[in-house]
Amino acid sequence: MGIETSRLFRAEPVAKTLDAILNWCRAYSLWPYPFGTACCAIEFMAVAASHYDISRFGAEVIRFSPRQADLLIVSGTISQKMAPVLRKIYDQICEPKWVIAHGACASSGGIYNNYCTVQGIDTLIPVDVYIPGCPPTPEALLDGILQIMKIIEGESVRDPKYRGQ
Amino acid sequence: MSTTVAQALVERFPGDIEPLPAFRDEEAFVVRKERLLEVCRFLFDFPGSAFELLEDICGVDYPGRQKRFEAVYHLYSLQARRRIRLKVPLEESDPTVPSVIGIWKAADWFEREAFDQYGIRFEGHPNLRRILNHEEFVGHPLRKDYPIQKRQPLSKPTNFGWDQGVPAGRGEPARS
């Protein structure tokens, strides 16, 4: 979809220039969708508020519609009943998109190894960055966002994930 | 205040109600399920100490007992500021108990939860369906014999009926 699908931009010098511009834009203007289901979402609120101030990294435009977001932050425990909803939300986000599993529950199920809890959201959707902690400190989430930015800066319009779309 | 309630209960329902040791002035009684509705109505209307608040209904599973399950009713009197607990033992072969939804409307979700987690059936409940677990769930997870490692993923999103204009939670039969 978009720029990446055009053959014109796949040539080496064009692609490199384009990568530099696009990745810079994308890395410093992440629009997060907070999928907050538990206490990690409270930490997310702290990160979004003035003290930790997520906007220092350009990610302060928090959207509650997946159609307007490109970074999915899953903060909290995902139950089996919630799993199809998370999958649907992920599918509704346009490419390119990135996912953070925020906290132990989203990463692995955490302490909830029981009948109703998904043992890690990577059983449902692809995850780019896992943040450990129960809950993680706000600094840890900021570090997770920096990791996402690093991933974005390493991407290219010639990546196989954009081919054939 | 509460002693009079206890005395009145034992006098009014001899043989059907059995007091348990009180803890911090909070009385508890074992009630036969056949008389539960009468006892509840009696407490709801009790002069001077009407238990008009149903705080919780929970299920308990005692695998060793002859009557394996128990439904526990937590009542509160706003007038007398006292609590009272009613315990209703239920047999495994027939875990049914009359619904108290006609007395306390708050019983609706409590009874659905006890049904969902323990399989206790509340007769007369208008909408006895699972409330916490998804509709494809089989079994009752808080029973002691539920396999602890058993996982039951949901294959499709829960249909709450919002887009069909159907009130939430209506139209599907109860499953055990």
Side-chain angles (χ1 to χ4, degrees):
Chain A
M1 198 172 114
I3 289 168
E4 292 87 354
T5 49
S6 171
R7 284 180 174 279
L8 184 68
F9 299 119
R10 291 220 187 115
E12 174 80 26
V14 185
K16 276 204 159 170
T17 321
L18 200 61
D19 284 345
I21 298 167
L22 275 185
N23 292 345
W24 180 78
C25 293
R26 284 171 179 168
Y28 291 93
S29 66
L30 285 166
W31 288 26
Y33 177 96
F35 198 92
T37 50
C39 39
C40 285
I42 306 294
E43 296 299 313
F44 175 83
M45 290 177 216
V47 173
S50 56
H51 192 86
Y52 290 96
D53 197 8
I54 202 172
S55 65
R56 290 181 293 152
F57 307 99
E60 82 277 20
V61 191
I62 292 148
R63 291 287 138 158
F64 295 95
S65 165
R67 291 173 178 84
Q68 299 172 346
D70 56 5
L71 173 63
L72 178 63
I73 301 178
V74 183
S75 314
T77 322
I78 302 298
S79 64
Q80 301 285 8
K81 201 171 180 178
M82 201 65 173
V85 179
L86 176 61
R87 178 72 221 191
K88 194 171 186 178
I89 293 285
Y90 175 80
D91 288 340
Q92 284 175 339
I93 299 177
C94 291
E95 290 278 6
K97 55 190 168 187
W98 300 273
V99 178
I100 290 179
H102 182 206
C105 290
S107 302
S108 69
I111 60 169
Y112 303 106
N113 185 7
N114 62 18
Y115 59 92
C116 65
T117 307
V118 174
Q119 301 299 298
I121 57 162
D122 48 8
T123 59
L124 307 167
I125 57 175
V127 177
D128 293 292
V129 170
Y130 299 84
I131 303 175
C134 185
T137 59
E139 290 91 339
L141 179 55
L142 289 177
D143 183 57
I145 289 167
L146 289 175
Q147 299 289 332
I148 289 282
M149 289 163 75
K150 205 176 274 179
I151 290 172
I152 294 171
E153 280 164 359
E155 288 185 351
S156 168
V157 290
R158 301 197 298 171
D159 284 350
K161 76 171 183 177
Y162 295 120
R163 298 271 168 83
Q165 285 192 2
Chain B
M1 184 73 81
S2 192
T3 10
T4 53
V5 177
Q7 281 172 353
L9 265 178
V10 175
E11 281 168 21
R12 174 78 174 73
F13 302 97
D16 296 320
I17 195 161
E18 181 192 328
L20 292 167
F23 177 71
R24 292 190 175 173
D25 298 331
E26 291 187 5
E27 273 99 355
F29 299 90
V30 176
V31 184
R32 278 180 54 221
K33 73 173 178 187
E34 289 79 10
R35 304 299 295 274
L36 175 70
L37 282 184
E38 290 170 63
V39 171
C40 287
R41 179 61 73 183
F42 180 75
L43 288 170
F44 184 79
D45 293 331
F46 197 85
S49 172
F51 290 87
E52 62 271 88
L53 190 64
L54 177 68
E55 288 190 322
D56 195 14
I57 300 173
C58 50
V60 195
D61 182 4
Y62 296 107
R65 290 193 186 173
Q66 190 206 344
K67 291 195 168 181
R68 183 179 157 186
F69 297 108
E70 211 168 60
V72 186
Y73 297 76
H74 302 257
L75 311 179
Y76 185 67
S77 169
L78 297 166
Q79 284 175 293
R81 297 182 197 162
R82 297 300 294 253
R83 287 192 172 79
I84 205 166
R85 251 191 302 283
L86 302 175
K87 300 187 174 188
V88 185
L90 306 167
E91 280 171 37
E92 185 176 4
S93 56
D94 181 32
T96 56
V97 66
S99 171
V100 296
I101 200 165
I103 302 169
W104 296 282
K105 245 192 153 178
D108 189 346
W109 283 11
F110 295 149
E111 290 181 346
R112 281 180 68 185
E113 185 187 3
F115 163 73
D116 189 356
Q117 306 285 44
Y118 291 95
I120 298 169
R121 291 185 160 269
F122 293 87
E123 286 178 330
H125 191 289
N127 182 30
L128 194 64
R129 292 188 315 122
R130 291 186 183 278
I131 186 168
L132 297 176
N133 294 298
H134 53 77
E135 69 264 38
E136 292 174 9
F137 204 90
V138 178
H140 302 284
L142 291 196
R143 287 187 176 188
K144 301 287 186 200
D145 54 4
Y146 184 85
I148 198 164
Q149 291 294 337
K150 192 176 173 190
R151 299 286 180 267
Q152 302 193 35
L154 177 59
S155 66
K156 58 176 176 17
T158 301
N159 179 19
F160 292 104
W162 291 325
D163 42 353
Q164 281 91 19
V166 182
R170 302 284 166 182
E172 282 181 60
R175 292 193 344 182
S176 60

